[in-house]
Amino acid sequence: VFEGGISYSYVENSEHFIGFDTFSYNRFLVDYIDVKQLHINANYDRKINNIMSVNVNTDFYKWDENVYHKPNFTCELSTPINLRNKIKVKPTLSYVGKRSYDVSNNEISAQFHANLGLHYNYTQNIGAYLQLNNLTNSKQELWKDYREVGFNGLFGLHYSF
């Protein structure tokens, strides 16, 4: 299944985060700007067999002004694997493009992440999951002067009634 979309819009009061440095700490000021935006989105889902499928999602943005801390391009590729309907494994690769953060067009570099999700369904109502994020242990900047956490995980149980 392929889904795609193209939109062009005029966004009033779009949030625009500007770094504000004081002597003791960094903050962000929010400036609201009116901006024209072109957004192109594409989704591709393919079921290869009863066990494996492929999902790709991409977004491209083009603005008439420089919008700080927002990437022009993002992409995510995942290959969910279904093991006998009890265990589901979902490896994911994601890419976030460069983002500018000031008037001088200084940029935060692009980021690449590898994640792994494991889901176990004991019954239709009871299950558990483990999400391992940032397997590459990247510690780049997400925002100016704010770095990523690095490798992290999340464990949970769910019950549906």
Side-chain angles (χ1 to χ4, degrees):
V1 175
F2 175 80
E3 293 179 66
I6 297 175
S7 64
Y8 185 78
S9 59
Y10 178 73
V11 182
E12 292 182 354
N13 297 322
S14 177
E15 71 277 353
H16 183 73
F17 298 95
I18 302 168
F20 178 71
D21 297 327
T22 65
F23 292 109
S24 58
Y25 54 87
N26 294 332
R27 288 206 171 198
F28 288 95
L29 297 176
V30 181
D31 186 19
Y32 295 97
I33 59 174
D34 298 336
V35 64
K36 294 176 185 168
Q37 171 184 284
L38 172 67
H39 178 211
I40 301 171
N41 174 271
N43 279 326
Y44 179 71
D45 293 325
R46 169 143 188 174
K47 184 175 180 179
I48 296 172
N49 53 35
N50 289 336
I51 298 173
M52 190 173 184
S53 60
V54 174
N55 304 331
V56 179
N57 184 19
T58 60
D59 285 294
F60 173 78
Y61 296 93
K62 178 74 176 160
W63 297 281
D64 66 338
E65 292 186 38
N66 195 4
V67 180
Y68 301 149
H69 295 99
K70 294 203 179 190
N72 287 338
F73 181 73
T74 62
C75 183
E76 183 173 281
L77 167 69
S78 64
T79 55
I81 301 167
N82 185 1
L83 303 174
R84 296 171 48 158
N85 293 327
K86 287 280 188 185
I87 301 172
K88 295 181 182 176
V89 179
K90 186 179 179 183
T92 304
L93 300 174
S94 64
Y95 173 82
V96 176
K98 296 185 285 188
R99 299 165 308 266
S100 65
Y101 63 84
D102 64 11
V103 179
S104 305
N105 285 330
N106 290 320
E107 293 181 335
I108 296 171
S109 62
Q111 295 174 326
F112 174 77
H113 289 129
N115 302 323
L116 180 64
L118 302 167
H119 300 268
Y120 174 71
N121 294 319
Y122 180 70
T123 65
Q124 190 174 8
N125 298 347
I126 301 170
Y129 60 90
L130 174 66
Q131 180 70 37
L132 302 174
N133 299 314
N134 197 359
L135 295 173
T136 58
N137 199 27
S138 152
K139 294 185 180 174
Q140 298 176 353
E141 288 184 319
L142 289 172
W143 291 67
K144 183 183 178 309
D145 297 326
Y146 289 88
R147 295 200 176 275
E148 296 178 270
V149 174
F151 174 75
N152 62 81
L154 175 68
F155 173 75
L157 302 170
H158 63 86
Y159 175 74
S160 176
F161 54 95

Coordinates of all heavy atoms in Angstrom, one line a residue, residues 112-161:
F112 N 20.8 9.9 13.0 CA 20.4 8.5 12.6 C 20.2 7.7 13.9 O 21.1 7.7 14.7 CB 21.5 7.9 11.7 CG 21.2 6.5 11.3 CD1 20.3 6.2 10.4 CD2 21.9 5.5 12.0 CE1 20.0 4.9 10.0 CE2 21.7 4.2 11.6 CZ 20.7 3.9 10.7
H113 N 19.1 7.0 14.0 CA 18.8 6.2 15.2 C 18.4 4.8 14.7 O 17.7 4.6 13.8 CB 17.7 6.8 16.0 CG 18.1 8.0 16.7 ND1 17.4 9.1 16.7 CD2 19.2 8.3 17.5 CE1 18.0 10.1 17.4 NE2 19.1 9.6 17.9
A114 N 18.8 3.8 15.6 CA 18.3 2.4 15.4 C 17.6 2.1 16.7 O 18.2 2.3 17.8 CB 19.5 1.5 15.1
N115 N 16.4 1.6 16.6 CA 15.6 1.2 17.8 C 15.1 -0.2 17.6 O 15.0 -0.7 16.5 CB 14.4 2.1 17.9 CG 14.8 3.6 18.0 OD1 15.8 3.9 18.7 ND2 14.0 4.5 17.5
L116 N 14.8 -0.9 18.7 CA 14.3 -2.2 18.6 C 13.1 -2.4 19.6 O 13.3 -2.1 20.8 CB 15.4 -3.2 19.0 CG 15.0 -4.7 18.9 CD1 14.6 -5.1 17.5 CD2 16.1 -5.6 19.5
G117 N 12.0 -2.8 19.2 CA 10.8 -3.1 20.0 C 10.5 -4.5 20.1 O 10.5 -5.2 19.0
L118 N 10.2 -5.0 21.3 CA 9.8 -6.4 21.4 C 8.5 -6.4 22.2 O 8.3 -5.8 23.2 CB 10.8 -7.2 22.3 CG 12.3 -7.2 21.8 CD1 13.2 -7.7 22.8 CD2 12.3 -8.1 20.5
H119 N 7.5 -7.1 21.6 CA 6.2 -7.2 22.2 C 5.8 -8.7 22.4 O 5.9 -9.5 21.5 CB 5.1 -6.5 21.3 CG 5.4 -5.1 21.1 ND1 4.9 -4.1 21.9 CD2 6.1 -4.5 20.2 CE1 5.3 -2.9 21.4 NE2 6.1 -3.1 20.4
Y120 N 5.3 -9.0 23.6 CA 4.9 -10.4 23.9 C 3.4 -10.3 24.3 O 3.1 -9.6 25.3 CB 5.8 -11.0 25.0 CG 5.3 -12.4 25.4 CD1 5.4 -13.4 24.6 CD2 4.6 -12.5 26.7 CE1 4.9 -14.7 24.9 CE2 4.2 -13.8 27.0 CZ 4.3 -14.9 26.2 OH 3.9 -16.1 26.5
N121 N 2.6 -11.1 23.7 CA 1.2 -11.1 24.0 C 0.9 -12.5 24.6 O 0.9 -13.5 24.0 CB 0.3 -11.0 22.7 CG 0.4 -9.6 22.2 OD1 0.5 -8.6 22.9 ND2 0.5 -9.5 20.9
Y122 N 0.7 -12.5 26.0 CA 0.4 -13.7 26.7 C -0.9 -14.2 26.3 O -1.1 -15.4 26.0 CB 0.6 -13.5 28.2 CG 0.3 -14.7 29.0 CD1 1.2 -15.8 29.0 CD2 -0.9 -14.8 29.8 CE1 0.9 -16.9 29.8 CE2 -1.1 -15.9 30.6 CZ -0.2 -16.9 30.6 OH -0.5 -18.0 31.3
T123 N -1.9 -13.4 26.4 CA -3.3 -13.6 25.9 C -3.7 -12.4 25.1 O -2.9 -11.5 24.9 CB -4.3 -13.8 27.1 OG1 -4.4 -12.6 27.8 CG2 -3.8 -15.0 28.0
Q124 N -4.9 -12.4 24.6 CA -5.4 -11.3 23.9 C -5.5 -10.0 24.8 O -5.4 -8.9 24.3 CB -6.8 -11.6 23.3 CG -7.3 -10.5 22.3 CD -8.6 -11.0 21.7 OE1 -9.2 -11.9 22.1 NE2 -9.0 -10.2 20.7
N125 N -5.6 -10.2 26.1 CA -5.8 -9.1 27.1 C -4.5 -8.7 27.8 O -4.4 -7.7 28.4 CB -6.9 -9.4 28.1 CG -8.2 -9.6 27.4 OD1 -8.4 -9.3 26.2 ND2 -9.1 -10.1 28.1
I126 N -3.5 -9.7 27.9 CA -2.4 -9.4 28.8 C -1.1 -9.5 27.9 O -1.0 -10.4 27.1 CB -2.3 -10.5 29.9 CG1 -3.5 -10.4 30.8 CG2 -1.0 -10.3 30.7 CD1 -3.6 -11.6 31.8
G127 N -0.2 -8.6 28.1 CA 1.1 -8.6 27.4 C 2.1 -7.8 28.1 O 1.9 -7.1 29.1
A128 N 3.3 -7.8 27.5 CA 4.5 -7.1 27.9 C 5.2 -6.5 26.7 O 5.1 -7.1 25.6 CB 5.4 -7.9 28.8
Y129 N 6.0 -5.5 27.0 CA 6.8 -5.0 25.9 C 8.1 -4.4 26.4 O 8.3 -4.1 27.6 CB 6.1 -3.9 25.1 CG 5.7 -2.7 26.0 CD1 6.5 -1.6 26.2 CD2 4.4 -2.7 26.6 CE1 6.1 -0.5 26.9 CE2 4.1 -1.6 27.4 CZ 4.9 -0.5 27.6 OH 4.6 0.5 28.4
L130 N 9.1 -4.4 25.5 CA 10.4 -3.8 25.8 C 10.8 -3.0 24.6 O 10.8 -3.5 23.5 CB 11.5 -5.0 26.0 CG 12.9 -4.5 26.2 CD1 13.1 -3.7 27.5 CD2 13.8 -5.7 26.2
Q131 N 11.1 -1.8 24.8 CA 11.5 -0.9 23.8 C 13.0 -0.4 24.0 O 13.2 0.2 25.1 CB 10.6 0.4 23.7 CG 10.9 1.3 22.6 CD 10.6 0.8 21.2 OE1 9.7 0.1 21.0 NE2 11.5 1.1 20.3
L132 N 13.9 -0.7 23.1 CA 15.3 -0.3 23.3 C 15.5 0.8 22.2 O 15.4 0.6 21.0 CB 16.2 -1.5 23.0 CG 16.0 -2.6 24.0 CD1 16.9 -3.8 23.5 CD2 16.3 -2.2 25.4
N133 N 15.8 2.0 22.7 CA 16.0 3.2 21.8 C 17.4 3.6 21.7 O 18.2 3.4 22.7 CB 15.2 4.3 22.4 CG 13.7 4.0 22.5 OD1 13.1 3.5 21.6 ND2 13.1 4.3 23.6
N134 N 17.8 4.2 20.6 CA 19.1 4.7 20.3 C 20.2 3.7 20.5 O 21.1 3.8 21.3 CB 19.3 6.0 21.2 CG 20.5 6.8 20.7 OD1 21.1 6.5 19.7 ND2 20.7 7.9 21.4
L135 N 20.1 2.6 19.8 CA 21.0 1.5 20.0 C 22.4 1.9 19.6 O 23.4 1.2 20.1 CB 20.6 0.3 19.1 CG 19.2 -0.4 19.5 CD1 18.9 -1.4 18.5 CD2 19.3 -1.0 20.9
T136 N 22.6 2.9 18.8 CA 23.9 3.4 18.4 C 24.6 4.2 19.5 O 25.7 4.7 19.4 CB 23.9 4.1 17.1 OG1 23.0 5.2 17.3 CG2 23.4 3.3 16.0
N137 N 23.8 4.5 20.6 CA 24.3 5.4 21.7 C 24.8 6.7 21.2 O 25.7 7.3 21.8 CB 25.3 4.6 22.5 CG 25.5 5.2 23.9 OD1 24.6 5.8 24.4 ND2 26.7 5.1 24.5
S138 N 24.1 7.3 20.3 CA 24.4 8.6 19.8 C 24.1 9.7 20.8 O 23.0 9.6 21.5 CB 23.6 8.8 18.5 OG 23.4 10.2 18.3
K139 N 24.9 10.6 21.0 CA 24.7 11.7 22.0 C 24.8 13.1 21.3 O 25.4 14.0 21.8 CB 25.6 11.6 23.2 CG 25.3 10.3 23.9 CD 26.1 10.2 25.2 CE 25.8 8.9 25.9 NZ 26.7 8.7 27.1
Q140 N 24.2 13.2 20.1 CA 24.2 14.5 19.4 C 23.2 15.4 20.0 O 22.4 15.1 20.8 CB 23.9 14.2 17.9 CG 24.9 13.3 17.3 CD 24.6 13.1 15.8 OE1 23.5 13.4 15.4 NE2 25.4 12.4 15.1
E141 N 23.3 16.7 19.5 CA 22.3 17.7 20.0 C 21.0 17.5 19.3 O 20.9 17.3 18.1 CB 22.9 19.1 19.7 CG 24.0 19.5 20.5 CD 24.4 20.9 20.2 OE1 24.4 21.3 19.1 OE2 24.7 21.6 21.2
L142 N 19.9 17.5 20.2 CA 18.6 17.5 19.7 C 18.1 19.0 19.4 O 17.5 19.3 18.5 CB 17.6 16.9 20.7 CG 17.7 15.4 20.9 CD1 16.8 15.0 22.0 CD2 17.3 14.7 19.6
W143 N 18.5 19.8 20.4 CA 18.3 21.3 20.3 C 19.7 21.9 20.6 O 20.5 21.2 21.2 CB 17.3 21.7 21.3 CG 15.9 21.2 21.0 CD1 15.4 19.9 21.0 CD2 14.8 22.0 20.6 NE1 14.1 19.9 20.7 CE2 13.7 21.2 20.4 CE3 14.6 23.4 20.4 CZ2 12.5 21.6 20.0 CZ3 13.4 23.8 20.0 CH2 12.3 23.0 19.9
K144 N 19.8 23.1 20.3 CA 21.1 23.8 20.6 C 21.4 23.6 22.1 O 20.6 24.0 22.9 CB 21.0 25.2 20.2 CG 22.3 26.0 20.4 CD 22.2 27.4 20.1 CE 23.5 28.2 20.3 NZ 24.1 28.1 21.6
D145 N 22.6 23.1 22.4 CA 23.1 22.8 23.7 C 22.3 21.8 24.5 O 22.5 21.8 25.7 CB 23.2 24.2 24.5 CG 24.2 25.1 23.8 OD1 25.2 24.6 23.3 OD2 24.0 26.3 23.9
Y146 N 21.5 21.0 23.9 CA 20.7 20.0 24.6 C 21.0 18.7 23.9 O 20.5 18.4 22.8 CB 19.2 20.3 24.7 CG 18.9 21.4 25.6 CD1 18.9 22.7 25.2 CD2 18.6 21.1 26.9 CE1 18.6 23.8 26.0 CE2 18.3 22.2 27.8 CZ 18.3 23.5 27.3 OH 18.0 24.5 28.2
R147 N 21.7 17.8 24.5 CA 22.1 16.5 23.9 C 21.1 15.4 24.2 O 20.3 15.5 25.1 CB 23.5 16.1 24.5 CG 24.6 17.0 24.1 CD 25.9 16.4 24.2 NE 27.0 17.2 23.7 CZ 27.3 17.4 22.5 NH1 26.7 16.6 21.6 NH2 28.3 18.2 22.1
E148 N 21.2 14.4 23.4 CA 20.3 13.2 23.5 C 20.7 12.4 24.8 O 21.8 12.6 25.3 CB 20.5 12.3 22.3 CG 20.1 12.8 21.0 CD 20.4 11.8 19.9 OE1 21.5 11.8 19.4 OE2 19.5 11.0 19.7
V149 N 19.8 11.6 25.2 CA 20.1 10.8 26.4 C 21.1 9.7 26.1 O 21.8 9.3 26.9 CB 18.7 10.2 26.9 CG1 19.0 9.2 28.0 CG2 17.8 11.2 27.3
G150 N 21.1 9.2 24.9 CA 21.9 8.0 24.5 C 21.1 6.8 24.6 O 19.8 6.9 24.5
F151 N 21.7 5.6 24.7 CA 21.0 4.4 24.8 C 20.0 4.4 25.9 O 20.4 4.8 27.1 CB 21.9 3.2 24.9 CG 21.2 1.9 25.1 CD1 20.6 1.3 24.0 CD2 21.2 1.3 26.3 CE1 20.0 0.1 24.2 CE2 20.6 0.1 26.5 CZ 20.0 -0.5 25.4
N152 N 18.7 4.0 25.7 CA 17.8 3.9 26.8 C 16.7 2.9 26.5 O 16.6 2.4 25.3 CB 17.1 5.3 27.0 CG 16.3 5.8 25.8 OD1 15.2 5.4 25.6 ND2 16.9 6.7 25.0
G153 N 16.1 2.4 27.5 CA 15.1 1.4 27.3 C 13.8 1.6 28.1 O 13.8 2.4 29.0
L154 N 12.8 1.0 27.7 CA 11.5 1.1 28.3 C 10.8 -0.3 28.4 O 10.8 -1.0 27.4 CB 10.6 2.1 27.5 CG 9.2 2.3 27.9 CD1 9.1 3.0 29.2 CD2 8.4 3.0 26.8
F155 N 10.3 -0.6 29.6 CA 9.7 -1.9 29.8 C 8.3 -1.6 30.4 O 8.1 -0.7 31.2 CB 10.5 -2.8 30.8 CG 9.8 -4.0 31.2 CD1 9.7 -5.1 30.3 CD2 9.1 -4.1 32.4 CE1 9.1 -6.2 30.7 CE2 8.5 -5.3 32.8 CZ 8.4 -6.3 31.9
G156 N 7.3 -2.4 29.9 CA 6.0 -2.2 30.4 C 5.1 -3.5 30.3 O 5.4 -4.4 29.6
L157 N 4.1 -3.4 31.1 CA 3.1 -4.5 31.0 C 1.7 -3.8 30.6 O 1.5 -2.7 30.9 CB 2.9 -5.1 32.4 CG 4.1 -5.8 33.0 CD1 3.9 -6.2 34.4 CD2 4.5 -7.0 32.2
H158 N 0.9 -4.6 29.9 CA -0.4 -4.0 29.6 C -1.5 -5.0 29.8 O -1.3 -6.2 29.6 CB -0.4 -3.4 28.1 CG -0.2 -4.4 27.1 ND1 -1.2 -5.2 26.5 CD2 0.9 -4.8 26.4 CE1 -0.8 -6.0 25.6 NE2 0.5 -5.8 25.5
Y159 N -2.6 -4.5 30.2 CA -3.8 -5.3 30.5 C -5.0 -4.6 29.9 O -5.2 -3.4 30.1 CB -4.0 -5.5 32.0 CG -5.2 -6.3 32.3 CD1 -5.3 -7.7 32.0 CD2 -6.3 -5.6 32.8 CE1 -6.5 -8.4 32.3 CE2 -7.5 -6.3 33.1 CZ -7.6 -7.7 32.8 OH -8.7 -8.4 33.1
S160 N -5.7 -5.3 29.1 CA -6.9 -4.7 28.5 C -8.2 -5.4 29.0 O -8.2 -6.6 29.1 CB -6.9 -4.9 27.0 OG -8.0 -4.4 26.4
F161 N -9.1 -4.6 29.5 CA -10.3 -5.2 30.0 C -11.5 -4.6 29.4 O -11.5 -3.6 28.8 CB -10.4 -5.1 31.6 CG -10.2 -3.8 32.1 CD1 -11.3 -3.0 32.4 CD2 -8.9 -3.3 32.3 CE1 -11.1 -1.7 32.9 CE2 -8.8 -2.0 32.9 CZ -9.9 -1.2 33.2

